[in-house]
Amino acid sequence: MSTEEENQTVFDVAAASMLTEELRDVFASGKTRSYEWRISQLKSVIKMCDEHEEDIADALHQDLSKPKLESIVYEVLVSSEVDWWYVVQISMLKNSCALAIKELKQWMMPEKAKTSLLTFPSSAEIVSEPLGVVLIISAWNYPFLLSLDPLVGAISAGNTMVLKPSELSPATSSLLAKLLPEYLDVSSIKVVEGAVSETSALLEQKWDKIFYTGNGRVGRIVMAAAAKHLTPVVLELGGKSPVVVDSGIDLQIATRRIIVGKWGCNNGQACISPDYIITTKDYADKLVDSLKKELETFYGENPLESKDISRIVNSNHFSRLTKLLDEDKVSGKIVYGGERDEANLKIAPTILLDVPRDSLIMKEEIFGPLLPILIVSEIEDSWDVINSGTKPLAAYLFTNNKKLKEQFVMSVSAGGVAINDIAMHLAIHTLPFGGVGESGTGSYHGKFSFDAFSHKKSVLYRSFTGDAALRYPPYTLGKIRLMKALMTSNLWTILRTLLGLS
Amino acid sequence: MEGVKGLESDLEAMRQYFRSGKTKDTAWRQSQLKGLLLFIKENEKHIFNALKKDLGKHPVEAYRDEAKLPRVALLSSAELVPEPLGLVLIISSWNFPFGISLEPLIGAIAAGNTAVLKPSELAPASSSLLANVLPTYLDNKAVKVIQGGPAVGERLLQQKWDKIFFTGSARVGRIIMSAAVNHLTPTVLELGGKSPAVVDSLASSWDKQVTVNRILVSKFGACAGQACIAIDYILVEKRFASTLVELMKVMIKKMFGENPRETNAIARIVNQQHFLRLKSLLRDPAVQNSIVYGGSLDEKNLFVEPTILVDPPLDAAIMTEEIFGPLLPIITLDNVEDSIAFINSKPKPLAIYAFIKNEKLKRRMLSETSSGSLVFNDAVIQYAADSLPFGGIGESGVGKYHGKFSFDTFSHYKAVTRRSFLTDFWYRFPPWNDYKLLLLEATYNFDYLGMLLVILGLKRRRQNSGGM
């Protein structure tokens, strides 16, 4: 048995360099380009999920630090928001794989492109080819899904890759490091565990693409490292996703959807969670009452004790969140919740009403179970409020007013928007998922994942016939006239010119 | 030249104008695009003169390369809504100062953005024409032209943009992308590289003639080789090399005359700095010895004669850096198939041109090399194909444009989902229990039978609980 010390090999820049060299050689061999290789890897991902569901659930539970549930046995009724969290992740991932397996042949086919008179005769197509060696850096809040969903995209596009799972979800990270080599082609798909220094070592290398999920601060670090090598990036970041709530809606349904979208998604620790609400003065009280009622139905009178509330991921984030609550400007604005349990890193669902725009809680992404409500006089004032901040990853509107819906879609810029629901666009694989501005660049899901990890190469086929003398020097006035006519692509003009009538 | 404060307030005014929604209006966009067209039509003579001053370009070459306008379609679907990004910065290069300034500008406007254009200071007559005349055709609150060199460029880069579109060298491309990090600004970098032409040993004299014509116009006829997609060097089999060279010598004379310096059939070198750069590429004695045609330089007139070299040393600068000038190295190989490995030993180029008829080799070229574009049996012409995205990969660039891709590159495609209040899955909501989980899983997998079984109480275990 080797000792702990012997096992401790530092993953430094030299190691990272060797790793990428290796992956580059494997890529150059062409192995990952074949349809068969890609399909076999995708099928293995599904197999891995099926055969190790328990282990995955365990790891996810551990990362949320819930005591390991002795009764993972399915006959016993076990309730947990954590189960929902892992069911969602595994289901979504398997769907992703299944979709890729089903559509890969089509995705890999070249796309015919139209040709114009200017290049006549010719045929043209756009061919998808793998980028090469890619780096995927994942996040801690949906550690399983956010590691493997991009990986599925990279595989389906035919690349070699390194996955760096988040160190803030260590059990999942370590499980992925153990399982991926067992199920996937270890020469082409590597997992590197670690924190800042390992990530920095990786970022110094030259990649053909970097796919990062996380926050804007680290997103900038990733982009800066990429700029040195002109490496394109996908940055899936976050922001303050607002929910505009109009009057005249089915309040109970809307409230439930908001609650699930906020506290049902890792207790607000999700990139597309509603961050804050905007509503009119008149409607605010009704909304608060409805929220209180439904929250109690879901989580009981003592939400801190409900098994369906996730903990805050670590003490850093716990302090950050309590600081937001304790700021003088807002501490008097709490209308529901506010309880916290530092020992267990839990914060109860908390609603704050009419917070000042310049409070801390309104400055940065909350990423926690605190829901501030902003008041406006007219609901249309919401657009300016939202647009005065940075573009969020998602924006939501609850209304039955057609005009308002159109105004919302036209005036609010966000990665994606949803009307009368929260986070649904995540599950629709025909829609790209990504941010804009501060909330990110690039997108994925479904075919967009394949595209994100592909280079679309333009290919033009010309024959040796069909050359016009006017293309070549020496140039004459006649040639100029004919060229002008050709540019207009107007046959009548061309004809007239050829006949010398123009 | 305005100070930073003046610049910042100008940009803020542009952002306000954007927020007013004016530039999103279809009628506005159409009026701007019409204005651009009118600008080109009414100022044709001036444009030619500016190009002549800046680059000594022949009007036909200029017209061919600069005066195109693509047709752009506005696309909208119920679920994916394209929206403008906001305020964008376009930095263009000196070699096709009108085309490379206006084509991205067209995309930006068509997509509904406000835009600042910074033309290259190395083409001062063109830059000046754009700065002084273009604004009279367009909405000045939405489109501004700012002239200047690196200092102005730097100041502009410090501002917050919703996109930066840059055409130029990889060195400056890195500076731009690094500056963009501050505001997480996405960038399109249209760079360059060494775009090779692979020439197979062609049998038919027609094919040989066409090949030579196309190569020559794509090197010496493309701004004297100062074009990102010009042919940089040639790869050919040893046994065919001399045939190729002899044909080229004949055709160069036919196309560019006996005295191209006098006839203005070839553009001149843009400035002394680049002239000296090209001169130094020829300094190495081994490189000098490989010259088989041309080689004369006229510093006063910034003229470099069309020059052909055969097998200069591979480690000489002329074979490691992008040439961007009328020097054409020919590298000979034992077999034309070796060209694939040769190309792959260098950074990915913007374009690869393959003059080959062999179908098997064509397929290998397609699948074993990587470049922005790949053209069979021609060169440079892919620029005119509006339905093909134009852009690089790796060192040759990031992002693409032309035709609809220009519109796309300056747009954000926003996902929109709409739901009614009617249906909901009750098991979406806490408190959770196993029953709900089973239903949820079935729903996710569109497993209607599974759902039914759960509801009937016939399915109590989760899928794939076979691990136990």
Side-chain angles (χ1 to χ4, degrees):
Chain A
M1 274 301 267
S2 35
T3 63
E4 179 98 9
E5 274 167 48
E6 285 174 50
N7 279 335
Q8 208 85 345
T9 43
V10 175
F11 187 81
D12 57 6
V13 176
S17 176
M18 263 177 56
L19 189 65
T20 48
E21 277 290 319
E22 206 188 303
L23 287 171
R24 222 160 263 298
D25 287 338
V26 172
F27 180 73
S29 76
K31 176 200 234 196
T32 61
R33 303 178 81 123
S34 76
Y35 175 77
E36 291 72 27
W37 180 88
R38 305 183 202 192
I39 293 287
S40 76
Q41 297 305 292
L42 293 170
K43 286 193 173 146
S44 298
V45 171
I46 296 188
K47 192 155 168 257
M48 180 183 83
C49 291
D50 288 346
E51 292 179 3
H52 288 271
E53 205 175 272
E54 239 184 272
D55 297 323
I56 297 169
D58 277 356
L60 291 172
H61 288 195
Q62 258 190 275
D63 282 332
L64 280 190
S65 212
K66 294 203 81 120
K68 181 182 170 174
L69 298 157
E70 344 15 318
S71 33
I72 295 287
V73 178
Y74 294 89
E75 287 85 13
V76 180
L77 283 178
V78 168
S79 70
S80 164
E81 189 270 350
V82 179
D83 280 336
W84 153 228
W85 178 59
Y86 105 79
V87 162
V88 166
Q89 290 187 68
I90 298 193
S91 296
M92 283 184 77
L93 180 69
K94 280 162 60 171
N95 276 350
S96 233
C97 279
L99 180 75
I101 290 172
K102 178 160 162 266
E103 316 248 308
L104 189 59
K105 256 224 170 73
Q106 256 155 290
W107 293 353
M108 284 174 71
M109 272 175 41
E111 196 189 307
K112 282 253 167 278
K114 278 205 323 233
T115 53
S116 73
L117 202 60
L118 290 169
T119 58
F120 180 83
S122 63
S123 72
E125 57 186 17
I126 301 171
V127 172
S128 295
E129 51 178 40
L131 291 165
V133 186
V134 305
L135 172 64
I136 298 168
I137 301 175
S138 156
W140 54 260
N141 58 341
Y142 288 84
F144 186 72
L145 183 63
L146 297 177
S147 295
L148 295 188
D149 210 357
L151 197 87
V152 164
I155 290 173
S156 62
N159 300 279
T160 55
M161 62 210 77
V162 170
L163 167 67
K164 215 291 299 163
S166 172
E167 68 278 18
L168 296 187
S169 45
T172 308
S173 172
S174 145
L175 183 67
L176 288 170
K178 173 170 166 290
L179 286 183
L180 258 55
E182 280 175 31
Y183 282 82
L184 304 179
D185 175 2
V186 70
S187 70
S188 314
I189 302 171
K190 311 262 186 206
V191 181
V192 171
E193 291 197 83
V196 176
S197 68
E198 288 80 6
T199 309
S200 304
L202 286 169
L203 286 175
E204 273 194 45
Q205 308 310 312
K206 176 174 160 59
W207 303 94
D208 296 297
K209 191 131 191 178
I210 302 178
F211 187 107
Y212 168 75
T213 308
N215 64 58
R217 188 187 62 84
V218 179
R220 281 168 168 78
I221 296 173
V222 171
M223 190 173 163
K228 301 208 177 88
H229 297 286
L230 291 172
T231 298
V233 299
V234 170
L235 304 173
E236 295 274 330
L237 311 175
K240 294 184 78 61
S241 298
V243 186
V244 177
V245 183
D246 190 18
S247 53
I249 54 173
D250 185 326
L251 189 53
Q252 189 186 44
I253 294 187
T255 307
R256 287 179 168 178
R257 292 177 181 175
I258 292 172
I259 292 175
V260 165
K262 177 80 170 184
W263 295 284
C265 279
N266 218 8
N267 211 14
Q269 298 168 104
C271 53
I272 32 88
S273 263
D275 187 276
Y276 66 102
I277 290 184
I278 308 176
T279 193
T280 50
K281 217 191 302 202
D282 302 327
Y283 207 62
D285 293 327
K286 270 175 140 184
L287 177 60
V288 171
D289 286 340
S290 179
L291 281 167
K292 286 182 183 176
K293 178 163 172 286
E294 297 302 325
L295 277 169
E296 219 174 275
T297 315
F298 291 169
Y299 304 115
E301 277 178 20
N302 287 315
L304 279 182
E305 294 174 18
S306 162
K307 279 178 273 193
D308 296 328
I309 298 273
S310 310
R311 70 171 174 107
I312 305 306
V313 69
N314 63 22
S315 50
N316 280 345
H317 282 275
F318 184 90
S319 315
R320 182 183 62 77
L321 289 164
T322 50
K323 203 164 132 222
L324 295 181
L325 272 184
D326 294 340
E327 196 193 6
D328 284 338
K329 284 185 196 161
V330 305
S331 51
K333 305 282 186 182
I334 299 176
V335 295
Y336 180 87
E339 301 96 352
R340 46 202 101 161
D341 171 3
E342 188 157 0
N344 291 305
L345 291 180
K346 284 200 148 177
I347 299 179
T350 302
I351 304 174
L352 305 93
L353 182 58
D354 199 15
V355 297
R357 303 267 183 94
D358 61 351
S359 51
L360 275 177
I361 204 174
M362 283 312 297
K363 287 230 179 82
E364 24 168 280
E365 186 176 4
I366 295 168
F367 223 71
L370 319 176
L371 183 65
I373 301 179
L374 289 185
I375 306 289
V376 290
S377 334
E378 304 292 331
I379 198 71
E380 290 83 357
D381 297 340
S382 307
W383 320 143
D384 282 341
V385 173
I386 299 173
N387 290 335
S388 68
T390 59
K391 297 178 188 178
L393 188 53
Y396 306 106
L397 169 66
F398 284 89
T399 187
N400 272 320
N401 180 325
K402 191 163 187 267
K403 188 154 156 275
L404 209 67
K405 289 182 191 177
E406 293 317 311
Q407 268 183 19
F408 173 68
V409 173
M410 284 300 125
S411 13
V412 173
S413 183
V417 302
I419 296 176
N420 295 333
D421 208 341
I422 306 282
M424 281 314 287
H425 58 299
L426 203 68
I428 301 176
H429 67 81
T430 49
L431 288 178
F433 180 76
V436 62
E438 285 282 333
S439 53
T441 181
S443 59
Y444 72 128
H445 283 187
K447 180 169 187 288
F448 301 98
S449 294
F450 174 86
D451 292 341
F453 288 101
S454 299
H455 166 49
K456 303 287 177 180
K457 182 162 74 178
S458 298
V459 183
L460 186 65
Y461 296 87
R462 293 265 292 160
S463 69
F464 289 97
T465 53
D467 240 351
L470 77 87
R471 210 180 141 187
Y472 306 113
Y475 296 123
T476 62
L477 211 55
K479 285 188 184 178
I480 297 182
R481 284 203 204 103
L482 191 55
M483 178 136 356
K484 270 194 192 176
L486 272 174
M487 297 291 186
T488 66
S489 289
N490 181 321
L491 281 171
W492 180 239
T493 315
I494 295 170
L495 202 59
R496 289 179 64 203
T497 311
L498 281 170
L499 293 174
L501 294 172
S502 217
Chain B
M1 229 160 26
E2 42 176 318
V4 183
K5 271 272 143 59
L7 176 65
E8 282 177 2
S9 64
D10 275 356
L11 294 182
E12 188 47 44
M14 289 179 83
R15 284 191 206 105
Q16 297 264 40
Y17 194 63
F18 175 76
R19 280 199 285 268
S20 78
K22 186 70 196 280
T23 63
K24 290 188 185 179
D25 180 34
T26 312
W28 181 88
R29 303 187 210 187
Q30 282 172 341
S31 77
Q32 297 305 293
L33 294 175
K34 286 202 178 110
L36 263 166
L37 197 50
L38 204 60
F39 164 74
I40 295 177
K41 265 213 184 106
E42 292 185 355
N43 291 278
E44 210 176 87
K45 240 218 239 86
H46 299 301
I47 293 174
F48 287 156
N49 285 339
L51 287 171
K52 184 138 182 244
K53 260 211 212 120
D54 287 334
L55 296 155
K57 272 196 196 183
H58 191 284
V60 171
E61 190 186 322
Y63 195 93
R64 175 196 76 197
D65 298 337
E66 302 261 49
K68 259 174 55 14
L69 279 182
R71 263 162 274 266
V72 156
L74 287 173
L75 175 77
S76 170
S77 80
E79 289 183 318
L80 260 185
V81 175
E83 53 178 33
L85 295 168
L87 176 59
V88 305
L89 173 64
I90 297 169
I91 300 176
S92 72
S93 59
W94 52 260
N95 54 347
F96 296 92
F98 289 96
I100 290 179
S101 296
L102 297 182
E103 183 121 21
L105 188 63
I106 289 166
I109 290 176
N113 298 281
T114 51
V116 168
L117 167 65
K118 196 206 86 64
S120 171
E121 72 280 15
L122 297 185
S126 305
S127 171
S128 169
L129 186 67
L130 284 167
N132 297 324
V133 183
L134 184 59
T136 63
Y137 289 81
L138 301 176
D139 180 346
N140 289 343
K141 297 206 262 320
V143 181
K144 289 205 194 306
V145 183
I146 296 182
Q147 294 200 78
V152 167
E154 227 182 276
R155 274 217 302 273
L156 286 170
L157 286 176
Q158 283 162 5
Q159 307 305 314
K160 172 168 160 54
W161 305 95
D162 296 294
K163 190 134 193 175
I164 299 177
F165 187 104
F166 169 78
T167 306
S169 70
R171 185 187 64 85
V172 179
R174 282 174 165 79
I175 295 172
I176 306 252
M177 193 169 164
S178 301
V181 170
N182 201 13
H183 297 285
L184 283 174
T185 301
T187 55
V188 170
L189 306 173
E190 295 275 332
L191 312 175
K194 292 184 79 64
S195 296
V198 177
V199 183
D200 200 0
S201 307
L202 302 163
S204 128
S205 51
W206 174 269
D207 294 346
K208 285 186 239 200
Q209 187 63 58
V210 170
T211 298
V212 167
N213 288 348
R214 291 175 179 176
I215 288 176
L216 292 179
V217 82
S218 305
K219 174 71 165 185
F220 306 116
C223 203
Q226 299 167 104
C228 53
I229 37 167
I231 293 178
D232 188 278
Y233 66 99
I234 292 183
L235 290 166
V236 70
E237 277 180 351
K238 284 185 163 56
R239 62 188 173 109
F240 193 62
S242 51
T243 312
L244 187 63
V245 172
E246 289 316 307
L247 265 172
M248 282 163 70
K249 287 180 184 176
V250 170
M251 284 317 293
I252 288 179
K253 289 223 160 59
K254 275 222 179 99
M255 283 188 188
F256 304 106
E258 289 289 340
N259 201 343
R261 183 188 344 177
E262 307 295 317
T263 54
N264 196 34
I266 285 208
R268 58 173 171 75
I269 306 306
V270 69
N271 63 19
Q272 198 193 37
Q273 183 203 343
H274 279 278
F275 178 89
L276 293 172
R277 180 183 62 80
L278 290 167
K279 187 168 169 198
S280 76
L281 289 181
L282 297 176
R283 190 167 291 137
D284 181 342
V287 175
Q288 270 290 319
N289 287 337
S290 68
I291 297 178
V292 298
Y293 182 90
S296 72
L297 309 160
D298 176 357
E299 185 163 344
K300 187 158 143 273
N301 293 308
L302 292 179
F303 174 82
V304 173
E305 192 189 354
T307 302
I308 304 176
L309 311 90
V310 177
D311 285 329
L314 294 180
D315 59 355
I318 200 173
M319 280 312 297
T320 58
E321 302 170 3
E322 185 175 5
I323 295 169
F324 228 69
L327 313 175
L328 182 58
I330 297 180
I331 307 295
T332 63
L333 307 164
D334 291 327
N335 294 304
V336 70
E337 289 85 2
D338 298 342
S339 58
I340 292 178
F342 189 95
I343 293 171
N344 288 341
S345 71
K346 291 186 174 305
K348 297 176 189 180
L350 191 52
I352 294 176
Y353 305 113
F355 292 84
I356 52 190
K357 298 185 89 152
N358 180 314
E359 290 301 325
K360 184 152 166 271
L361 185 56
K362 276 188 184 173
R363 278 196 297 276
R364 279 196 64 198
M365 268 289 154
L366 181 59
S367 60
E368 292 178 40
T369 64
S370 185
S371 52
S373 355
L374 172 60
V375 183
F376 288 106
N377 304 328
D378 209 335
V380 170
I381 200 167
Q382 77 272 23
Y383 198 82
D386 268 345
S387 57
L388 286 177
F390 182 79
I393 173 91
E395 287 288 319
S396 52
V398 181
K400 54 200 184 217
Y401 72 131
H402 280 192
K404 182 168 180 295
F405 301 101
S406 293
F407 176 89
D408 291 345
T409 217
F410 286 104
S411 298
H412 164 54
Y413 275 89
K414 182 168 70 182
V416 180
T417 56
R418 303 160 197 268
R419 283 204 68 199
S420 71
F421 286 101
L422 294 175
T423 55
D424 226 341
F425 300 135
W426 57 272
Y427 41 87
R428 239 179 111 184
F429 307 116
W432 308 111
N433 58 41
D434 230 33
Y435 184 55
K436 283 189 184 178
L437 287 176
L438 286 170
L439 269 180
L440 199 62
E441 187 180 54
T443 314
Y444 253 106
N445 295 320
F446 296 103
D447 179 7
Y448 299 115
L449 180 60
M451 282 169 76
L452 191 61
L453 294 174
V454 172
I455 292 169
L456 293 175
L458 296 173
K459 179 179 162 115
R460 279 187 233 266
R461 281 160 157 256
R462 298 277 316 290
Q463 244 175 285
N464 306 308
S465 51
M468 299 169 21

